[in-house]
Amino acid sequence: MKLRKSLLASFCAIAASTFNAGTAAAQKDWPTKSIQMIVPFAAGGPTDSIARLIAVPMGQALGQTVVVENVPGAGGTIASTKVARSAPDGYTIYIHHMGMATANALYDKLPYDPMKDFEYIGQVADVPMVLLGKKDLPANNFKELEAYIKANGSKVTMANAGPGAVSQLCGLLFQSRLGVKLTNIPYKGTGPALTDLLGGQVDLLCDQTTQTIPYIKDGRVKAFGTTTLKRLPAIPNVPTLNEQGMKGFEVKVWHGIYTPKGVPQPVLDKLNAALKKALNSPDVKKRLDDANIDIVSASKATPKGLKDHLDTEINVWGPVIRKANIPD
Ligand code: ASP
């Protein structure tokens, strides 16, 4: 019996050391196949564009392709749940914006904990938003828009990318500041929402500058105000919402890269190094700069920079969302 026990013990010890050696080798060789980058919104939107922009140089830095997969729905929470439940092997990575922080206050119960179920690779970029209207909307500036909304109330439609999306947050904050309730229409991302705004099927949309600047410049959509405290250099004629009476109205959409909880440290280190390299790529810098998007500082593009910021933002947005009765 004793012999059986000690044989079993030595077998387990050998198995454990072989397993550890195998895992260490696997971590050293990682990545040996393509990596999936999950995007929580539909293709063609701002989150998707940033993902595709950095996936290429991250893949180059890692020596494997980073393949973008869109998992849209429920303002990003479907994708967050999927990632939290994925294998922690480094082959699933996740890009999400500040919805990672706001969903906590918008949903009664999330099937994941943003502070416990993920590893944090680093922040990516901060993206301004603009309040947009369809080209044929009778209002031509913010004052006229206010009057139009007051006259038409819930006949006015506003698109968003679902509860937890920043387009929804921005749209509902705007309505709460005006003291009105419009008809809010959820999409699977602001990519398809912008298509409908361009087609005139929906009246208003709060969207990021990632794709919208060319449409604003050529008049295919109307821009009523930016969600920044200062005007944006790419569209200097568009006033801020702050300067038009909505004092302190500021939404800058930060983004971060995550993995499921439990990815080994050497793999996390490689992912962070690849992210930093991608953010330093001249092509990424230029394309983000053209859309007035700020690449984060080196200290924010770190696991601590992201985790601390997420923690702060959960605490910042909770009270704002509750005070504005979002969703009511
Ligand atoms: N960023 C958008 C939002 O949260 C969604 C998207 O990227 O499509 O509204």
Side-chain angles (χ1 to χ4, degrees):
M1 188 63 175
K2 250 191 180 163
L3 179 68
R4 268 186 69 187
K5 257 194 182 165
S6 69
L7 271 180
L8 189 66
S10 26
F11 172 77
C12 288
I14 292 167
S17 71
T18 316
F19 177 77
N20 286 340
T23 334
Q27 291 168 18
K28 195 164 151 280
D29 293 343
W30 182 93
T32 55
K33 60 177 184 182
S34 62
I35 297 157
Q36 188 183 42
M37 181 187 274
I38 306 249
V39 172
F41 296 104
T47 316
D48 180 68
S49 304
I50 293 192
R52 288 175 199 277
L53 184 59
I54 60 163
V56 175
M58 273 188 84
Q60 282 160 353
L62 293 165
Q64 289 288 344
T65 316
V66 174
V67 184
V68 169
E69 191 197 332
N70 300 86
V71 181
T77 54
I78 291 176
S80 300
T81 307
K82 179 180 162 109
V83 173
R85 292 176 184 164
S86 298
D89 54 11
Y91 291 102
T92 301
I93 64 174
Y94 185 38
I95 183 164
H96 196 357
H97 58 40
M98 57 192 270
M100 195 71 165
T102 57
N104 244 30
L106 289 165
Y107 287 83
D108 284 342
K109 204 164 161 24
L110 287 173
Y112 58 88
D113 183 334
M115 292 309 295
K116 289 198 186 132
D117 295 338
F118 299 89
E119 303 287 350
Y120 309 87
I121 305 300
Q123 285 185 65
V124 182
D126 297 334
V127 189
M129 300 191 87
V130 192
L131 173 63
L132 302 171
K134 67 178 182 188
K135 176 168 107 252
D136 297 334
L137 208 65
N140 285 313
N141 55 47
F142 187 74
K143 274 265 146 308
E144 289 177 16
L145 178 66
E146 246 183 304
Y148 179 76
I149 285 176
K150 295 236 155 105
N152 291 281
S154 62
K155 278 199 213 128
V156 181
T157 54
M158 185 158 203
N160 67 54
V166 284
S167 46
Q168 191 225 26
L169 177 70
C170 173
L172 294 184
L173 282 177
F174 166 72
Q175 292 168 49
S176 139
R177 294 285 286 261
L178 275 189
V180 294
K181 231 175 146 195
L182 307 181
T183 299
N184 295 295
I185 304 177
Y187 288 75
K188 291 201 163 170
T190 45
L194 182 62
T195 305
D196 271 10
L197 188 79
L198 289 162
Q201 283 91 353
V202 68
D203 297 325
L204 296 169
L205 166 69
C206 243
D207 200 4
Q208 288 145 255
T209 53
T210 323
Q211 265 100 9
T212 49
I213 285 178
Y215 298 119
I216 296 170
K217 281 186 166 165
D218 70 14
R220 279 196 277 168
V221 293
K222 288 180 175 172
F224 292 105
T226 67
T227 66
T228 46
L229 297 183
K230 283 196 188 140
R231 290 192 185 200
L232 297 171
I235 40 172
N237 297 332
V238 179
T240 66
L241 291 173
N242 176 60
E243 76 187 81
Q244 300 182 97
M246 293 204 160
K247 282 271 156 285
F249 198 113
E250 188 182 21
V251 186
K252 260 206 156 187
V253 188
W254 57 271
H255 293 71
I257 307 249
Y258 307 80
T259 70
K261 184 86 186 164
V263 170
Q265 193 57 48
V267 173
L268 296 175
D269 293 344
K270 285 185 194 175
L271 281 168
N272 179 258
L275 170 64
K276 285 196 169 128
K277 243 187 169 165
L279 295 181
N280 277 318
S281 130
D283 178 46
V284 170
K285 281 190 166 160
K286 161 135 190 23
R287 290 187 41 200
L288 293 182
D289 200 43
D290 287 347
N292 284 182
I293 295 171
D294 298 330
I295 292 190
V296 295
S297 62
S299 65
K300 284 182 158 193
T302 60
K304 182 169 165 34
L306 174 57
K307 192 172 183 190
D308 288 355
H309 191 62
L310 176 63
D311 195 17
T312 308
E313 286 277 292
I314 288 174
N315 291 312
V316 165
W317 285 104
V320 176
I321 289 167
R322 282 186 284 274
K323 192 170 163 223
N325 273 333
I326 297 172
D328 55 1

